[in-house]
Structures are given as C-alpha cells and as structure tokens.
Amino acid sequence: MVCLGNICRSPLAEGILQSKINANEVSVDSAGTAAYHVGKLPDKRSIEVARQYGINITNQRARKFTVKDFDAFNFIYAMDESNYQNILLLARDKKDESKVQMILNETHPHQNLNVPDPYYGGNQGFENVYTMLNEACEIIANKIS
Ligand code: 4NP
C-alpha cells in the first residue's frame, strides 16, 4: 500500500487489509514515495478513524518505498496517480511494472480514480478515505486469500 507520506492513506489501507486477511498467509505493508515523515507514527486523524472501526494502526512507522519492495511483494497498490507514476519510475522491468495498480481500480475498474489526499483537510476527509479503502480492501482480501 503506497501513498506519498505513508502517514495518512497507506497506513489505513495497511491496517484495513491486515484486518481482513490471515497474517500467516499474507504479508501486508505500506510505504510512501516521499521521505518527509520516515519513522513517524500515522497521522492522529488516521489513527482515530481506524480506532473507531476497531483497527489499531499505532504499531506502524512511516518508511519510504524502495526497489526491494518489488521483490518482497506480489501486489503494489498506489493511492493516487502521482504515487503510481513515482513507483513506476523505480520499476526495473515489465514484471515490476505489472505489480503496480491503482487501488480504486478494484472498486471502479479502469477509471484510475485517486484516493484523495486528506492531509490538509478535516476529519471528514479521513472518514471518506476509510470508506473507499475498506471497499477496495474487501475485494483485494477476497482475491488474495
Ligand atoms: P499521505 O498524506 O500521502 O496519505 O500520507 C500526506 C502526508 C503528508 C504530506 C502530504 C500527504 N506532506 O506534504 O507532508
């Protein structure tokens, strides 16, 4: 699960997908394409919206996406078009490229919709992001487990 800062959207996506899969069978992680927030906890507003739905994401710390993630993961989900392009810049070959998808194409195939960046908005933005990611992760969980 990849966004820009790895503090708002992708930590929610990680926590939500983790809650829907068997951790013995599937490894879920998140990262950001930028390094501004490396080592930090998720944003308080992401922690709070997750908590309201019974998901604890306070074990997460932000990290930057690296080329090694192409080897470690079979599926790489970008939250928006900008993240998608920045991940593809690191791809070494067609196999790497084929792992990268826009996460909302799970709920809205071929539309390349963005999960809106909620960083500069209020709590409602985080609630909206949660709802979108919950629907997408339900589909992903059914596919991979
Ligand atoms: P995220 O949100 O990519 O969903 O983690 C953002 C977090 C931080 C910034 C931008 C977006 N920032 O500019 O610091």
Side-chain angles (χ1 to χ4, degrees):
M1 298 300 186
V2 184
C3 62
L4 177 64
N6 192 209
I7 56 168
C8 297
R9 292 166 291 178
S10 60
L12 277 176
E14 177 186 336
I16 293 166
L17 185 59
Q18 194 83 63
S19 76
K20 296 178 188 291
I21 54 90
N22 180 343
N24 294 323
E25 293 169 5
V26 182
S27 172
V28 183
D29 199 0
S30 65
T33 56
Y36 326 125
H37 299 284
V38 166
K40 288 196 200 153
L41 276 164
D43 187 284
K44 285 193 175 68
R45 297 162 294 179
S46 285
I47 291 174
E48 178 56 20
V49 74
R51 192 193 62 76
Q52 285 168 11
Y53 290 96
I55 295 174
N56 180 357
I57 60 169
T58 61
N59 58 323
Q60 296 186 36
R61 296 295 180 274
R63 71 176 181 89
K64 192 166 188 278
F65 182 86
T66 76
V67 72
K68 290 182 189 149
D69 288 310
F70 288 113
D71 299 322
F73 297 97
N74 296 324
F75 303 98
I76 297 170
Y77 291 101
M79 299 295 127
D80 68 29
E81 179 70 25
S82 160
N83 313 145
Y84 179 81
Q85 296 299 343
N86 284 321
I87 298 164
L88 284 187
L89 287 175
L90 295 175
R92 298 158 297 188
D93 52 31
K94 295 279 173 212
K95 186 177 174 210
D96 286 356
E97 285 176 11
S98 71
K99 295 184 174 187
V100 191
Q101 299 166 54
M102 293 279 283
I103 192 167
L104 292 187
N105 281 350
E106 297 295 331
T107 47
H108 299 78
H110 312 298
Q111 292 189 36
N112 296 331
L113 297 179
N114 294 328
V115 179
D117 182 348
Y119 187 62
Y120 293 106
N123 291 335
Q124 187 59 46
F126 284 78
E127 183 75 33
N128 291 345
V129 165
Y130 187 94
T131 302
M132 291 174 197
L133 292 177
N134 190 46
E135 289 170 5
C137 287
E138 187 68 27
I139 295 169
I140 294 168
N142 286 331
K143 270 191 198 173
I144 65 181
S145 49

